[in-house]
Amino acid sequence: MTHQLAVLVHTPVHSAVAGTLSYVSELPLTVGSLVRVPLGQRELLGVVWDAPLDSPAASFDPQKLRPISSALDGIAPLSASWRQLVTFAAHYYQRSVGEVALAALPPQLRDLSTQQWGRRLKRHAKAGAVGEPALVDASELVALSPEQTGAIAQFNTNSGPFLLFGATGSGKTEVYLQCVEQLLVREPDAQAMVMVPEINLTPQLEARFMARFAPMYGDGAVVSMHSGMTPAQRLKSWLAAHSGAARIVLGTRMAIFASLPKLKLIIVDEEHDPSYKSGEGARYSARDLAVYRGRLDGAKVMLGSATPSLESWHHSRPAAEGGRYLRLVMPSRIGSITALPTAQGDTTRLVNDAAAASAGLPVVRRVDMNHQPKHCVFSPPLLAAIMERIARGEQSMVFLNRRGYAPVLHCADCDWKSECPHCSAYRVFHKIDRTLRCHHCGYAERVPRACPACGNPDIAPMGRGTERLEEHLAELLLEVRRPNSVSDQWPEGEPVRIVRIDADSTKLKGELQAQLARVHSGEVDVLVGTQMIAKGHDFRRITLVAAINPDNALFSSDFRAPERLFSLLMQAAGRAGRDADISGQSEMWVQTFHPQHPLFEALKRHDYPAFAAEQLKEREQAGMPPFSFQALVRAEARTQEVAQGFLSAASAAATRMAQADQLLAHLTLYPAVPMSIQRVANVERAQMLIESPSRAALQRFLAAWQVVLHATRKQPEGRGLLRWAIDVDPLAI
């Protein structure tokens, strides 16, 4: 007897075989089982799926259907809630279900043979046993602040979702640890997921969770999931989570699709971070899917941040005003005595610099660069402050969100600039290896000896990146010597030690951890870096943070730029004064040509509620998210005319279609325009924005428009088109 199965394989939404395919099996297989199936000349991994209600498979002759190749024995079927999460994500973000489902599984599942599977599962079974919770010495228990205790109490007595709004250094991570610990004690087989935005933040978090939970549940109780792991490591973590052996899963955005059959708690740390939004394939938001998954699995969801996204902040307004999240507030740093602004609804209390200092947060000092020496990089007051920190044996951090030596190499005679021949962008000058490198397509070449256009040998860098900043700072501090150190490991009288941390200096495996270890040990006096160092790290010795030239985002065409800048500066400021013994001395210096800008006024007071209220007011007046919903359709072709022509033709066809079905009543389709960087790797890029005050109306339109987009590509307007994609809820326009 044969059994007919509906199987999902990795196929794109526009292919002729999108959706489930029909196969036969000699054995009945549960929905959610992993199988290998033939497709054409290949053998692919597939998932037995729920048969669609309108499936014509029942009319097929079973003799004409191909049998599955094999089933992956020893792996429990994927749960109904996991399948529902994948289905929702695929439909909402306009991708095929098979593409999302198979991309969520470890790549090595596709490669291992049956014999290899047997050996792998045997090793996994030996390592997967979880012991009984061990007793913890009461002397090792962490003393919680009243704010932490209150937040945990509200979390335990309400259903959520929750937004934990806590100042940097207020102890949000300890709240996460306490909530996870209480869950595991209360429910013996429960699982928890804790997400971080970037891979480089995972080791620090993993160390804290391992120190807390490994003595109680064993080393295998905590696993990580991120793209920086090897395929074997990812498979091992996935199997541990899927089997229930792993009680806690730590990971980046990809972890939201991990199979955790007993999931009861989801924590999204730094929930405002744009890294939670995928930039390729299914362009999903892991933060938003976390809230949806919590509802599917009956799990509590906590979003945490010192600078929440404006969407989450808006959703956490009082329930009487339509809020859907419960806001938990921890406005004070650990050991502080004075609270910061604690807006709940429309109530906001401001504090001055003295109050901020007593609360443990750094005093914000704005330097008006209009009154400083012309072309100076470090203003004299800032340089003096850095020297003062060095003299006291403390550390400083200089933040500039631009890597490389200089963004452009320039000829003053003929105005030549180091443009990339393959992109509509400039190649960045990297002095260390004397290269001009495009950060978009990767094209690099040696720096020319003379201007390629006019032969002038005097070509010079324009602007500054972290490389040039590090070099310039070393020149300014050349005569400064380190004081007598608290530790004999670093003797006095040595030159000042400056370390740069960015994507270029941490390319080699383990280099980031080594550099961070030097900072934590006190070996480094000044840390220079990009946003890699501005968030998430617990630097205990840093008491001064300086932001160099943050003005670029103040007048950007992107309506989200002020939100991102304020968040980044607040997060950077939070790296200073995290040690309670010296927190009263900490400072945040901002060098700007616009010191009276409202953004810097709010930053000076550490007043996120006031900044958010002003931004939300502007967005409501302009009809921007979260008061409207958006989708971008991006097209790529060899010429800009083809890319824009495809979008314009699809828009015209959509207008005719929508008018017949009255789908355009609540939608606005904007004209096709080039993207801000319109050419990357010799591919021209265009985009078109669709906006609606109704999420449901936008989704109905996008679902119906898929057919139009596929049909348009087959028309003359679509010839030469390379690819197109829909980005729902885009973060960059």
Side-chain angles (χ1 to χ4, degrees), residues 25 44 76 94 135 144 181 190 241 266 373 533 566 693 717:
S25 170
L44 303 177
Q94 303 297 312
L135 296 178
L144 300 177
E181 184 173 353
I266 304 175
I533 61 172
F566 186 85
E717 296 85 352

Side-chain angles (χ1 to χ4, degrees), residues 421-423 441 637-639 679-684 722:
H422 310 298
C423 306
C441 71
R638 290 301 178 190
T639 65
R679 189 177 81 258
V680 173
N682 292 323
V683 173
E684 294 286 339
L722 296 177

Side-chain angles (χ1 to χ4, degrees), residues 415-431:
D415 205 32
W416 170 86
K417 293 183 177 66
S418 55
E419 295 180 345
C420 176
H422 310 298
C423 306
S424 52
Y426 295 111
R427 286 174 293 165
V428 176
F429 172 40
H430 291 261
K431 188 176 182 180

